[in-house]
Amino acid sequence: MKILFVHEVSWFNKVVYEMHDFPELLSLRGHEVHFLDFDEGKPRARWKPITTIESRAHKGSQVSVTTPPRFLPGILGRLLATLIQPLVFIQLIKRIKPDVVVTYSIPTSGWQITCICNRKNIPIVARVIDIPHVLRETHFKPLVKWSEKYVFRKASFVSTHNEALRQYCIGLGAAPDKSSVIYPGIDMSRFFPAPPRQDLLTKVGIQPTDKVLLFMGTIFRFSGLVELLTELAPALRLDKSIKFLILGDGEDFNRLHQLELTLGLQSQVIMPGRIEYDLLADYLRLGHVALLPFKQELVTHGALPGKVLQYLACGLPTIATPLDGLQSMIPPNKGVLYANDSQEMANIAIDLVSKPDQQHQLAAFGFDLMTIHCNWHTQLQSIEQMIASFQRA
């Protein structure tokens, strides 16, 4: 099959997740896979679209990535992309004649591309992995939500990665019988339990006898890390062997770093920034207990944070906010303990990080769950069957 994926973020600048995994793995299964992205960073294409063959996560894969030109910076570039990306999309479908389109894009180009596909009689699958209108603070929220409604109603099929998000899509017009849940897979050859690397422990300033709490991912305004660190501070001051390793960057990084300085916890709160994908699993294995302190909001309840799946695949027992999407996949005590607020999470974390036997028991449950639900063989079969069902004659 010829499959065209579309997204409103950069293939090159985003951390590796399912937007890279599904296209690359489908290419390894013999499909001709194309990807239309949006240039978020330093302009890759200045005057005309650029197409190159790329592979970021799975060796041997070949995805033809097309980046439209970006003439303006910031929000102006994003607004102009609502016109440019659909025009480049029209050029692409004329050239490659896809059997099916899979769009992750919603507000930037999703509704336009859905309209084009319907007019051209090309099946289009909306792969929904978040709730765009609440993902970031913007004056365009009403327009973004309208885009969601249009795409959910007009797409040939809506695929989400958790049941709570599927119900949200149905509430905005997706047909229940034309929607389904397909979990993201985990590269178990990369993310698996193993002893921590001594060179990385030394690099970040962790002693072999330290007890390490860990967070990994984009530090959004709703990440809950500022509140959690405030609650953890008294216990960290009492026990210098407890370290809090925070891997990632994002909009709340500076505020979190300033809090670390204000609390005087520079030697125990370790913030090395964003970790390259090839080293990510090794850094995760430096932890003993992983944390997901997201605030309970619409945007987080619809999420299935990939970081939790990676935590569990690496053998890390996890403490998380009871988010609807996460709980729809992972029941309590099956690798994850749920805490209702930052104070409860801090108390559970300080207790668990000192109990290796309980850590190992929880970790075993979580690893088994990932093996069942997130193995790529099963997930690829599911998405391949879904896409094939809409293949044009």
Side-chain angles (χ1 to χ4, degrees):
M1 286 187 292
K2 295 179 181 179
I3 307 167
L4 172 57
F5 286 83
V6 182
H7 209 331
E8 54 202 344
V9 298
S10 170
W11 170 276
F12 302 92
N13 295 340
K14 269 292 182 182
V15 296
V16 172
Y17 67 109
E18 72 160 62
M19 68 171 264
H20 304 94
D21 289 318
F22 277 129
E24 291 189 9
L25 289 168
L26 285 167
S27 84
L28 289 173
R29 290 172 74 92
H31 302 287
E32 181 183 319
V33 183
H34 301 261
F35 197 104
L36 176 62
D37 77 341
F38 171 74
D39 203 352
E40 293 178 291
K42 183 179 179 181
R44 176 174 183 250
R46 290 188 179 275
W47 305 110
K48 62 180 181 179
I50 290 178
T51 300
T52 53
I53 303 300
E54 302 293 338
S55 176
R56 285 195 60 188
H58 302 275
K59 187 176 180 180
S61 62
Q62 292 189 328
V63 177
S64 176
V65 179
T66 298
T67 302
R70 197 189 78 189
F71 303 107
L72 297 172
I75 186 62
L76 295 176
R78 177 71 70 175
L79 291 173
L80 190 57
T82 63
L83 300 174
I84 293 176
Q85 198 174 33
L87 290 174
V88 175
F89 176 79
I90 291 171
Q91 295 173 355
L92 270 179
I93 61 174
K94 285 181 179 178
R95 177 169 61 85
I96 67 177
K97 296 177 174 57
D99 295 301
V100 64
V101 172
V102 180
T103 182
Y104 286 93
S105 178
I106 301 289
T108 304
S109 61
W111 67 271
Q112 305 96 309
I113 284 170
T114 301
C115 180
I116 293 166
C117 285
N118 288 338
R119 287 177 177 272
K120 300 288 186 180
N121 197 31
I122 302 173
I124 179 166
V125 175
R127 176 64 175 171
V128 185
I129 58 175
D130 53 38
I131 301 176
H133 83 273
V134 290
L135 190 59
R136 289 180 176 83
E137 292 296 335
T138 172
H139 296 298
F140 300 103
K141 276 188 178 183
L143 287 174
V144 176
K145 189 167 185 179
W146 176 87
S147 300
E148 293 175 24
K149 291 179 181 179
Y150 185 93
V151 172
F152 300 162
R153 289 173 179 170
K154 299 294 186 178
S156 308
F157 200 81
V158 174
S159 170
T160 71
H161 61 13
N162 72 79
E163 181 59 29
L165 189 54
R166 175 175 172 267
Q167 292 302 322
Y168 171 81
C169 295
I170 291 171
L172 289 190
D177 62 339
K178 294 182 179 179
S179 63
S180 72
V181 174
I182 297 177
Y183 295 131
I186 292 290
D187 185 354
M188 304 293 278
S189 67
R190 184 186 297 267
F191 295 94
F192 55 86
R197 280 177 45 178
Q198 183 57 51
D199 61 320
L200 293 182
L201 289 172
T202 302
K203 182 177 180 179
V204 299
I206 294 174
Q207 300 299 316
T209 55
D210 285 341
K211 296 165 286 189
V212 182
L213 303 173
L214 179 141
F215 171 90
M216 178 275 294
T218 303
I219 305 174
F220 291 111
R221 55 179 170 76
F222 51 76
S223 66
L225 285 166
V226 168
E227 293 79 6
L228 179 60
L229 180 56
T230 301
E231 295 293 341
L232 284 171
L236 294 178
R237 291 194 187 99
L238 285 174
D239 188 345
K240 299 297 184 182
S241 70
I242 299 177
K243 302 292 173 63
F244 190 8
L245 178 59
I246 300 172
L247 307 173
D249 56 18
E251 59 188 338
D252 233 17
F253 182 92
N254 290 336
R255 189 163 75 105
L256 186 62
H257 179 58
Q258 186 57 52
L259 177 62
E260 166 204 1
L261 297 176
T262 301
L263 295 172
L265 294 171
Q266 299 93 311
S267 64
Q268 290 174 267
V269 179
I270 303 164
M271 301 176 65
R274 178 173 161 179
I275 305 300
E276 291 302 316
Y277 187 67
D278 285 344
L279 288 173
L280 183 57
D282 289 322
Y283 271 88
L284 291 182
R285 296 185 194 105
L286 303 183
H288 296 105
V289 174
L291 304 172
L292 181 78
F294 279 6
K295 297 177 183 178
Q296 298 193 54
E297 302 177 5
L298 177 60
V299 64
T300 54
H301 277 298
L304 180 64
K307 60 175 65 63
V308 174
L309 312 184
Q310 292 168 341
Y311 291 163
L312 298 178
C314 284
L316 292 177
T318 300
I319 307 169
T321 308
L323 306 176
D324 293 343
L326 189 60
Q327 287 186 299
S328 71
M329 177 185 178
I330 305 174
N333 301 312
K334 296 299 183 180
V336 176
L337 301 177
Y338 291 103
N340 289 309
D341 54 42
S342 55
Q343 183 179 28
E344 183 180 8
M345 182 172 292
N347 291 338
I348 296 174
I350 295 302
D351 180 64
L352 182 60
V353 80
S354 299
K355 294 181 176 178
D357 289 343
Q358 188 179 354
Q359 291 173 28
H360 295 152
Q361 184 181 38
L362 274 171
F365 283 129
F367 182 81
D368 289 345
L369 201 64
M370 292 304 97
T371 303
I372 295 168
H373 286 316
C374 294
N375 70 83
W376 272 121
H377 178 73
T378 301
Q379 305 318 109
L380 275 175
Q381 279 189 330
S382 296
I383 201 163
E384 200 170 35
Q385 289 169 4
M386 177 191 67
I387 290 173
S389 70
F390 293 101
Q391 186 177 359
R392 292 189 297 174

